Amino acid sequence: MSGTAGASRAETCVVACAEAWRGNGEILASPMGVVPTIGARLARLTFAPELLLTDGEATLMADVPPLGSGPAVAEGWLPYRRHLALVTGGRRHVMMGASQLDRHGNQNISCIGDWERPARQLLGVRGAPVNTLNHPTSYWIPRHSPRVLVERVDMVCGVGYDRAAAAGPSAARFHRIPCVVTDLAVLDFETPGRTMRVRSLHPGVTADEVRAATGFPLPVPAAVPVTRSPTAAELRLIREVLDPAGLRDGEVRP
């Protein structure tokens, strides 16, 4: 699938996020953030029409509206109780954010610094442990930096591969981190030790740039591919249908 020259970095990230849901089948896609939301909607409109999308509250959307608009047609109702039942059976793929993420995929969104006296209070643990242990969880990092991609997270909220394996089969049954999309690259954990590596570099990004922006040694394959750019059809959907206001450029600098 050839890409289109002239796509912005944000638009490349949208496509990378969309690819996270390729081949997932009829599951609930739960994107968190502007770029992942556009990505999930792009996937639904192109190669993954079977994805279930919500309005962020309790309505399953039959159509795919632009950012900031509600659905014109509802295809179902997903109240909190039914949502929890769906989540615990592996039928959801969420793309969360991360204030910190380590090489094993442990994520922190709770606090920065020592637990006894943190320097920063963040969101709190929220549903991260349940998400990561019960269904696939990918991550979106709009600013790839050593402050986010760290040697060791200050607190574990989302569970990484090392901790899931240590907890045993019950914890590892549905645990999977398909990918991490950043503004520089796509990362995954397809290594023998289930530690992070570079899957692809975004157009114009070098391996040295990514290594310098990471707080631990990050393997980059010798023949690492370039993240694909959006096709002309995808660009039209992004620019004219899904995000005509250009909100994506507020999350990833042009």
Side-chain angles (χ1 to χ4, degrees):
M1 187 184 297
S2 60
T4 302
S8 70
R9 180 65 58 79
E11 290 160 345
T12 297
C13 290
V14 165
V15 167
C17 288
E19 288 288 349
W21 285 284
R22 185 183 285 274
N24 278 190
E26 190 177 354
I27 66 163
L28 180 64
S30 295
M32 299 181 185
V34 170
V35 167
T37 297
I38 303 170
R41 296 183 185 190
L42 180 66
R44 166 78 173 263
L45 287 175
T46 54
F47 54 77
E50 66 279 11
L51 282 180
L52 300 177
L53 297 175
T54 76
D55 62 353
E57 294 185 10
T59 302
L60 289 169
M61 304 189 301
D63 59 332
V64 184
L67 291 185
S69 299
V73 182
E75 68 176 356
W77 176 243
L78 193 65
Y80 194 55
R81 181 180 296 177
R82 289 183 59 194
H83 184 274
L84 288 178
L86 185 72
V87 164
T88 56
R91 302 293 298 165
R92 181 190 191 216
H93 182 174
V94 62
M95 182 170 280
M96 293 196 295
S99 301
Q100 292 179 327
L101 193 70
D102 70 21
R103 73 178 74 208
H104 301 285
N106 295 293
Q107 171 240 35
N108 175 27
I109 52 173
S110 185
C111 66
I112 301 297
D114 185 80
W115 171 253
E116 296 293 332
R117 194 176 180 86
R120 296 286 186 275
Q121 176 66 54
L122 306 175
L123 289 173
V125 175
R126 314 290 287 186
V130 174
N131 288 345
T132 48
L133 292 182
N134 286 281
H135 55 70
T137 302
S138 293
Y139 292 103
W140 162 238
I141 297 172
R143 299 287 183 273
H144 190 134
S145 81
R147 295 179 63 184
V148 179
L149 291 157
V150 298
E151 181 67 38
R152 181 182 177 88
V153 297
D154 293 335
M155 178 179 176
V156 175
C157 300
V159 179
Y161 277 103
D162 57 343
R163 290 175 178 270
S170 62
R173 181 184 177 192
F174 293 121
H175 179 271
R176 188 165 68 90
I177 308 174
C179 68
V180 179
V181 180
T182 81
D183 62 331
L184 299 181
V186 179
L187 316 170
D188 64 25
F189 298 85
E190 300 302 317
T191 60
R194 287 295 194 180
T195 54
M196 193 184 293
R197 63 152 194 178
V198 173
R199 178 192 294 178
S200 69
L201 297 170
H202 297 338
V205 177
T206 68
D208 287 342
E209 283 181 89
V210 173
R211 290 191 184 101
T214 306
F216 51 83
L218 184 64
V220 182
V224 63
V226 176
T227 308
R228 78 170 181 89
S229 298
T231 64
E234 289 170 332
L235 266 186
R236 184 192 68 80
L237 288 171
I238 294 169
R239 294 175 179 179
E240 300 178 18
V241 177
L242 297 173
D243 185 28
L247 299 178
R248 60 193 178 278
D249 289 329
E251 198 163 68
V252 179
R253 298 187 188 95

